[in-house]
Amino acid sequence: MAIYEPKSVEEIQNFEGKYPKQLWYLFFSEMWERFCFYGMRGMLTFFMVDQLLMKEDVANLQYGATQAFVYAFTFIGGLFADKLLGYRKSLFWGGIMMIIGSAILAFDPHQFFFLGISFTVIGTGFFKPNISTMVGALYKNNDTRRDAGFSLFYSGINVGALLGGYACVYIGKSYSWNLAFGLAGIVMIISLVTFVFTQKSLSTIGVSPLLGIEKSKRKLYEYLTYVGTIVAIPLIMIMVSNPQYTDIFMYTIGPLTLLYLFYEMRNFTIQENKKLIAALVFILFSILFWAFFEQSGGSLSLFAANNLDDKILGVKFDPNGINNASNSLFVIIFAPIIGLLWLWLSKRKFEPNTVVKFGLGFLFLAIAFYVFYATRFFANAEGMTSLEVFTIAYLIITFGELCLSPIGLSIMTKLSPIKLQGVMMGMWFLASAYGQYVAGILGAGMAKANENATKVEKLMAYTDGYQQLAIYAVVAGVVLIAISPIVRKLMQEVK
């Protein structure tokens, strides 16, 4: 069946109904890419402790470092898309790099672990911010359906995360780690094929920004980008495999990014710059959110392996699979409902503004970590506790995520000038990099005394840490709601 080719972006943006057709094409491409990404993410910490024999605190730091680089490179990927490649070619090149990384890990994940991870880091950097930016381009600036569209897109992300998060770690633990990493690469191929066959439906969305210059010069810039990416692999490998280099990188990339943004701001009006400052407020608070939320891939992964039983309502499940996949299942169920709720409230002029939604996200996060803390009260004498209570905490954390993450993707596209959208989407994911980095440090702090600890001692150490995170989340949520009138003024007409 041929894909319908619209004549213009305006024709796409004048769609009828709740969602444009193109959103579904991007949905499926993103879904399979997220299967690959979350399948890999879900395996990392457990694989490093169980197969590479790292200590738990070292594995937490290594997880934080790896994920920090993944998200930090989304800024670089967004920058290259804005200035050179366009969103489509950036996305395709990123997918190719992720497939190569998965193939290397499938061949020998023990010997070539950091080499494979390095390809995945760069590949995700080119893929992730640019598909999200294209979703934003499907809507006019004042279209109230945008938040609902991003919520649906976010459920696509989580279909992939659900399937990959459970399947990959289960296959790795039960059958073969080579097969688990290989499966991540196979679904990434499906993602790229989906995009290639549906990109004609996007009109001019995501094409190269250099179409106006001489073709030979444009091709030279593109090829230099591809070659530079490959040449950078050894450097990335060194930095990813040594967390001390991550410290240097994280202390420099953030300030440099801010300086670059301030440099670009001189090209925009006062009104546009006020919106960019509002975007920075959301970005800074999102660092805190992800620092807490991303315990899922680090400390909560080890907590699941060490301290959880394996039954929900009498049915056996892999605790690590539940840790990786339950949040995604709840997002799939509730993301469309929450998206429609925002639409329903918007029509009745009761929809909370974006800043308040962010604040609510932190309050739900706080409740969830109090429930993680409360698992200690359901433990037996050996320190094994309830997988059911643990899963309830993930249900609550999902509501917090849905108040913040899909809304965050949407607000970046609303507050950013068109010429800076890739960079700002990259900064949004760079905030996730800092969140991942801090998450690793927090997780390592909880695991520091765990090397020879009993299961009961590990239970107490981790749940004490989760109680502290709950307190910090409450404070952040209250502060954000309190400053919401100031941020709303900066946002001006943006809802």
Side-chain angles (χ1 to χ4, degrees):
M1 185 179 70
I3 298 298
Y4 168 66
E5 297 182 38
K7 294 177 182 177
S8 68
V9 175
E10 187 177 2
E11 187 179 335
I12 294 173
Q13 294 174 339
N14 288 333
F15 67 91
E16 295 180 359
K18 291 186 175 70
Y19 309 109
K21 291 179 182 178
Q22 292 79 6
L23 180 62
W24 293 102
Y25 303 146
L26 295 175
F27 172 105
F28 283 109
S29 185
E30 176 76 341
M31 182 184 81
W32 292 117
E33 184 271 339
R34 291 290 92 181
F35 182 113
C36 174
F37 176 79
Y38 280 96
M40 300 271 278
R41 170 185 174 273
M43 292 186 277
L44 282 181
T45 305
F46 184 86
F47 183 85
M48 287 187 285
V49 171
D50 187 66
Q51 296 293 306
L52 301 184
L53 305 179
M54 291 185 187
K55 295 178 181 178
E56 288 189 13
D57 59 332
V58 175
N60 267 291
L61 284 174
Q62 191 64 67
Y63 169 80
T66 301
Q67 293 300 101
F69 277 115
V70 165
Y71 283 95
F73 271 87
T74 59
F75 174 77
I76 296 171
L79 183 62
F80 274 89
D82 271 346
K83 305 298 182 184
L84 294 175
L85 298 181
Y87 304 133
R88 297 191 198 182
K89 287 184 177 178
S90 292
L91 182 154
F92 188 81
W93 178 240
I96 294 294
M97 296 292 281
M98 292 177 75
I99 291 166
I100 295 171
S102 297
I104 291 169
L105 289 166
F107 178 71
D108 190 340
H110 297 84
Q111 187 173 349
F112 300 118
F113 181 75
F114 288 110
L115 177 60
I117 291 298
S118 298
F119 273 90
T120 303
V121 164
I122 292 182
T124 306
F126 276 94
F127 190 104
K128 180 59 185 162
N130 299 312
I131 194 166
S132 301
T133 304
M134 283 191 281
V135 170
L138 300 176
Y139 295 87
K140 292 180 179 178
N141 288 337
N142 58 352
D143 195 330
T144 57
R145 297 171 294 182
R146 184 187 295 235
D147 280 2
F150 269 100
S151 290
L152 176 66
F153 181 69
Y154 205 68
S155 70
I157 291 173
N158 282 276
V159 171
L162 168 66
L163 298 172
Y166 197 94
C168 288
V169 75
Y170 176 77
I171 290 169
K173 289 171 72 174
S174 304
Y175 299 101
S176 162
W177 290 106
N178 304 71
L179 182 60
F181 286 113
L183 177 61
I186 290 168
V187 296
M188 192 62 231
I189 293 172
I190 297 173
S191 171
L192 274 196
V193 170
T194 301
F195 181 74
V196 167
F197 280 97
T198 60
Q199 63 176 326
K200 289 181 179 179
S201 71
L202 295 169
S203 183
T204 57
I205 292 173
V207 298
S208 171
L210 301 181
L211 288 180
I213 71 169
E214 189 180 329
K215 186 176 180 180
S216 60
K217 185 181 278 189
R218 185 175 78 245
K219 290 292 182 185
L220 175 63
Y221 290 150
E222 289 176 5
Y223 293 144
L224 285 174
T225 301
Y226 302 145
V227 171
T229 304
I230 300 297
V231 170
I233 288 290
L235 177 63
I236 303 305
M237 186 175 168
I238 291 169
M239 291 195 294
V240 169
S241 60
N242 295 279
Q244 63 266 32
Y245 290 119
T246 313
D247 296 340
I248 299 169
F249 181 79
M250 297 307 288
Y251 290 147
T252 55
I253 188 69
L256 287 175
T257 302
L258 281 174
L259 287 174
Y260 177 76
L261 177 63
F262 295 148
Y263 173 76
E264 288 280 4
M265 284 170 73
R266 67 193 171 85
N267 298 318
F268 300 104
T269 65
I270 292 173
Q271 286 73 25
E272 288 173 321
N273 285 333
K274 282 181 179 179
K275 291 178 184 177
L276 287 171
I277 292 169
L280 281 177
V281 173
F282 290 119
I283 286 169
L284 290 172
F285 272 92
S286 72
I287 293 173
L288 286 177
F289 185 90
W290 296 121
F292 306 156
F293 182 91
E294 286 300 334
Q295 294 305 311
S296 57
S299 70
L300 285 168
S301 176
L302 297 174
F303 183 73
N306 293 323
N307 293 104
L308 292 182
D309 62 32
D310 60 358
K311 288 188 177 65
I312 297 177
L313 301 176
V315 180
K316 272 195 168 189
F317 290 95
D318 183 317
N320 281 104
I322 293 297
N323 176 64
N324 293 341
S326 58
N327 169 239
S328 299
L329 175 63
F330 294 137
V331 169
I332 293 163
I333 295 169
F334 291 105
I337 297 171
I338 295 295
L340 293 173
L341 174 64
W342 297 144
L343 282 176
W344 185 82
L345 290 172
S346 175
K347 288 178 181 176
R348 287 153 184 80
K349 303 192 185 302
F350 284 125
E351 184 182 11
N353 66 57
T354 304
V355 198
V356 172
K357 287 178 184 176
F358 264 56
L360 290 172
F362 276 100
L363 297 182
F364 278 118
L365 191 67
I367 296 168
F369 273 97
Y370 273 122
V371 176
F372 283 131
Y373 164 72
T375 55
R376 63 163 59 189
F377 303 116
F378 295 85
N380 61 21
E382 286 77 42
M384 300 298 287
T385 191
S386 169
L387 181 59
E388 293 166 337
V389 176
F390 183 86
T391 307
I392 290 169
Y394 265 116
L395 173 61
I396 299 167
I397 218 171
T398 298
F399 291 120
E401 182 185 3
L402 288 175
C403 285
L404 185 141
S405 191
I407 307 304
L409 292 172
S410 178
I411 203 66
M412 287 302 110
T413 62
K414 290 179 183 177
L415 292 172
S416 309
I418 291 174
K419 291 182 179 179
L420 213 58
Q421 287 206 347
V423 169
M424 292 306 293
M425 193 63 78
M427 284 194 73
W428 172 255
F429 289 115
L430 184 59
S432 296
Y434 276 91
Q436 303 275 0
Y437 174 65
V438 176
I441 295 171
L442 292 172
M446 296 180 212
K448 219 168 191 69
N450 283 355
E451 188 179 348
N452 299 308
T454 65
K455 288 186 182 294
V456 172
E457 289 169 336
K458 288 183 178 184
L459 174 74
M460 293 300 157
Y462 279 120
T463 53
D464 279 343
Y466 299 145
Q467 184 186 35
Q468 288 299 311
L469 296 187
I471 294 169
Y472 299 150
V474 168
V475 172
V478 171
V479 169
L480 197 44
I481 291 171
I483 67 170
S484 63
I486 299 170
V487 182
R488 280 289 298 117
K489 285 183 180 178
L490 291 170
M491 292 169 67
Q492 299 159 75
E493 81 285 354
V494 175
K495 301 293 184 184

